[in-house]
Amino acid sequence: MTKLTLGSHPYLLGFEQLERLMERTAKTGNEGYPPFNIEQTSDHGYRITLAVAGFREEDLSITVEDSQLVIRGRNSDDGDDRVFLHRGIAARQFQRSFVLADGVEVAGATMEHGLLHVDLKRSVPETVVQTIKINQG
């Protein structure tokens, strides 16, 4: 019995890249920090919210690299002379990655009350009907 993978199924033509995409997503190495939510805001809109308490806007970067949304945080500790009796607020750097489907773009980002909101929008492709002429050979 031959095992069919997603990319080799006879009715899914041209989806080989989807299998590679799923493998790449599994390798992103995202740990549990910082915590995040993903919500659907409309039929074609999404919002990713990350809890980034202690980070300033200039400590964060948001990029799209090869259909992958990458959010990085690097907290600049400007209070080296401070002595903590207890440090429960994480101040470590992080990187969160999210794979974006074709047609999904970053609409913008805002920060409020220690939460970073990244809004995404999905453009709806036009339906195209194409008639193929059969040539006689």
Side-chain angles (χ1 to χ4, degrees):
M1 178 176 197
T2 305
K3 181 181 176 189
L4 288 177
T5 61
L6 185 65
S8 67
H9 193 280
Y11 299 123
L12 297 174
L13 303 175
F15 284 90
E16 298 84 10
Q17 188 170 349
L18 184 59
E19 192 167 19
R20 287 190 296 272
L21 181 67
M22 290 171 54
E23 289 173 5
R24 185 176 82 183
T25 303
K27 294 178 184 177
T28 56
N30 281 333
E31 56 182 41
Y33 178 77
F36 67 94
N37 293 335
I38 300 176
E39 61 184 299
Q40 186 167 1
T41 56
S42 68
D43 287 343
H44 305 291
Y46 305 94
R47 173 175 269 189
I48 299 171
T49 301
L50 284 87
V52 291
F55 286 87
R56 298 172 298 179
E57 289 180 37
E58 54 267 17
D59 297 332
L60 302 168
S61 72
I62 303 169
T63 58
V64 177
E65 305 167 8
D66 192 26
S67 299
Q68 196 166 12
L69 173 65
V70 179
I71 303 169
R72 293 181 179 93
R74 182 177 204 105
N75 199 336
S76 56
D77 195 9
D78 52 358
D80 290 335
D81 57 343
R82 300 182 337 193
V83 176
F84 290 95
L85 300 179
H86 172 75
R87 188 162 190 170
I89 299 173
R92 62 183 187 261
Q93 63 184 12
F94 69 87
Q95 176 175 314
R96 276 274 183 201
S97 300
F98 303 90
V99 178
L100 302 179
D102 289 340
V104 175
E105 300 174 351
V106 177
T110 57
M111 196 152 143
E112 60 180 351
H113 307 296
L115 299 174
L116 175 66
H117 303 288
V118 180
D119 292 310
L120 307 171
K121 65 178 179 177
R122 179 176 37 140
S123 58
V124 181
E126 293 181 25
T127 303
V128 176
V129 177
Q130 184 179 7
T131 304
I132 309 300
K133 180 181 176 185
I134 301 172
N135 296 319
Q136 294 185 357

